[in-house]
């Protein structure tokens, strides 16, 4: 292990954890989420919890091994069907609002 620490310039613990996970033959899934900025920290915490639980439940991966990263982009850098988005969960800018919930 001492030799491994020399190779991990920025974060030796990360490399060692990864090697330990391989040796113990357990998965270390990494989930990357790209979404429009604007959600609250509470919403993100809830999302982290739900995703971790889903991976744990469906793959029997220890919760401690699940890694989740969010990449937030400004609405002006995100488009759907060629139209720039106005914000999180919004219709494209200048487009009609549509709803799949008719309640």
């Amino acid at each position: 292990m001492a030799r491994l620490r020399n190779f991990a310039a920025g974060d030796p613990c990360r490399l060692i954890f990864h090697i330990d996970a391989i040796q113990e033959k357990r998965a270390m899934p990494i989930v990357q989420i790209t979404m429009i900025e604007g959600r609250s920290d509470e919403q993100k915490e809830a999302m982290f919890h739900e995703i971790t639980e889903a991976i744990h439940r469906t793959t029997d991966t220890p919760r401690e091994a699940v890694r989740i990263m969010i990449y937030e982009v400004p609405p002006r850098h995100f488009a759907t069907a060629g139209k720039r988005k106005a914000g999180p969960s919004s219709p494209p800018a200048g487009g009609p609002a549509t709803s799949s919930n008719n309640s």
Side-chain angles (χ1 to χ4, degrees), residues 29-33 44 47-53 55 65-70:
I30 299 172
V31 179
Q32 298 178 351
I33 300 166
K44 293 173 199 172
M47 183 178 65
F48 290 150
H49 174 75
E50 294 296 328
I51 291 169
T52 298
E53 289 302 311
I55 291 172
V66 177
R67 304 289 184 258
I68 303 170
M69 292 175 278
I70 295 176

Side-chain angles (χ1 to χ4, degrees), residues 5-55:
R5 289 185 190 274
N6 292 335
F7 284 107
D11 184 4
C13 295
R14 181 178 56 185
L15 177 62
I16 290 169
F17 179 81
H18 182 65
I19 297 299
D20 289 346
I22 292 170
Q23 289 173 347
E24 294 176 21
K25 296 185 180 177
R26 63 181 174 154
M28 189 174 71
I30 299 172
V31 179
Q32 298 178 351
I33 300 166
T34 302
M35 63 185 193
I36 295 174
E37 63 188 16
R39 287 160 178 96
S40 70
D41 287 342
E42 292 79 19
Q43 288 174 309
K44 293 173 199 172
E45 286 293 327
M47 183 178 65
F48 290 150
H49 174 75
E50 294 296 328
I51 291 169
T52 298
E53 289 302 311
I55 291 172

